[in-house]
Amino acid sequence: MSTNTDALKRYYRFHAAIYDSTRWSFLFGRSALIQRLQTMRLQPRRVLEIGCGTGRNLAMLARAFPKADIVGVDISQDMLEHARRRCSFAEDRVFLECAPYGTQSRLGGFDVIVASYALSMMGDGVGAVLDAVKRDLRHGGVFAVVDFRDSRFAFFRRWMGCNHVRLDDGVLPQIRERFGESVVSTHHAYAGLWRWFMLVA
Ligand SMILES: C[S@@+](CC[C@H](N)C(=O)[O-])C[C@H]1O[C@@H](n2cnc3c(N)ncnc32)[C@H](O)[C@@H]1O
């Protein structure tokens, strides 16, 4: 297990308790991404969220796609405890796995894979994670991402680095390398303090 993974687990041991009451104020676009998937009139049988955290998106996905099995993978057991409670209304078809993505057991054949504010926390591991997405997505499947993109303010990049988030525009090119020029929109947060992006490939 990498040092980065260990550091993240420690970070979320504390942050799990305050995650939902704080993150609404800066993890923008999460609901919009799922609404976007709904408008695509997909009929997925298997949906995966990488780095599902406290299960906010999993619960929305379970409601949006009532016939689908929903799998959430996360390295933090503390975050997954919240996800388990939140998704109890669909416990027969929401499956949670505590593992670094790429090593989980329910591999392959996903119709939709979602990564919401997870890739920006994976440091140098992003490439390997994206390779695993290519492997796990069935032919014609949809990869949907919302995440931080960059900031022109060094102090803010440093602060977010202390919170394990990269803001160097390093993730999007790696996605494009593997998934082509997908539909991307970029948005400003707090008058340009940072930019975030949404992508459907
Ligand atoms: C900022 S949270 C996002 C949670 C959720 N997707 C959301 O949008 O609210 C990032 C999550 O990714 C998880 N994570 C980070 N690296 C991971 C990895 N390599 N494999 C699986 N989960 C990972 C963290 O534990 C954390 O719960």
Side-chain angles (χ1 to χ4, degrees):
M1 188 161 299
S2 73
T3 317
N4 183 46
T5 306
D6 290 338
L8 279 179
K9 282 167 127 175
R10 281 196 300 277
Y11 177 80
Y12 281 115
R13 194 160 300 147
F14 168 71
H15 278 265
I18 57 166
Y19 187 88
D20 290 320
S21 57
T22 52
R23 268 38 176 201
W24 61 269
S25 61
F26 56 96
L27 300 189
F28 300 124
R30 292 180 295 170
S31 300
L33 184 69
I34 294 170
Q35 281 155 12
R36 174 83 175 263
L37 290 173
Q38 275 185 288
T39 63
M40 292 169 74
R41 305 206 175 283
L42 308 166
Q43 297 199 321
R45 286 190 306 112
R46 301 187 76 219
V47 177
L48 168 70
E49 184 181 1
I50 303 167
C52 62
T54 56
R56 177 192 186 276
N57 301 327
L58 291 182
M60 285 187 76
L61 289 164
R63 291 194 170 96
F65 302 117
K67 293 190 176 148
D69 282 351
I70 314 286
V71 178
V73 177
D74 203 286
I75 51 166
S76 166
Q77 192 60 53
D78 299 281
M79 295 291 265
L80 287 176
E81 291 305 326
H82 291 264
R84 197 173 307 286
R85 282 197 292 278
R86 185 179 241 150
C87 296
S88 58
F89 69 92
E91 63 186 2
D92 56 327
R93 60 189 181 86
V94 175
F95 305 97
L96 302 177
E97 187 144 344
C98 190
Y101 172 64
T103 63
Q104 81 281 10
S105 58
R106 291 185 185 86
L107 284 176
F110 289 101
D111 304 291
V112 176
I113 298 184
V114 173
S116 163
Y117 289 97
L119 298 174
S120 59
M121 300 193 92
M122 292 180 181
D124 294 339
V126 171
V129 162
L130 292 171
D131 289 340
V133 170
K134 280 214 100 148
R135 180 196 67 207
D136 286 349
L137 202 58
R138 75 160 177 74
H139 185 69
V142 172
F143 182 37
V145 183
V146 62
D147 215 325
F148 293 107
R149 184 163 180 178
D150 57 15
S151 171
R152 53 200 171 92
F153 298 101
F155 82 91
F156 191 66
R157 289 196 300 273
R158 269 198 306 277
W159 164 247
M160 292 303 276
C162 295
N163 288 279
H164 305 280
V165 175
R166 65 190 287 184
L167 265 173
D168 60 356
D169 206 10
V171 171
L172 191 52
Q174 296 191 67
I175 300 177
R176 284 180 157 151
E177 225 170 75
R178 291 163 178 85
F179 294 89
E181 288 298 314
S182 328
V183 182
V184 180
S185 57
T186 298
H187 310 259
H188 293 269
Y190 293 115
L193 183 56
W194 72 87
R195 296 194 303 166
W196 57 275
F197 71 93
M198 194 188 312
L199 168 152
V200 176

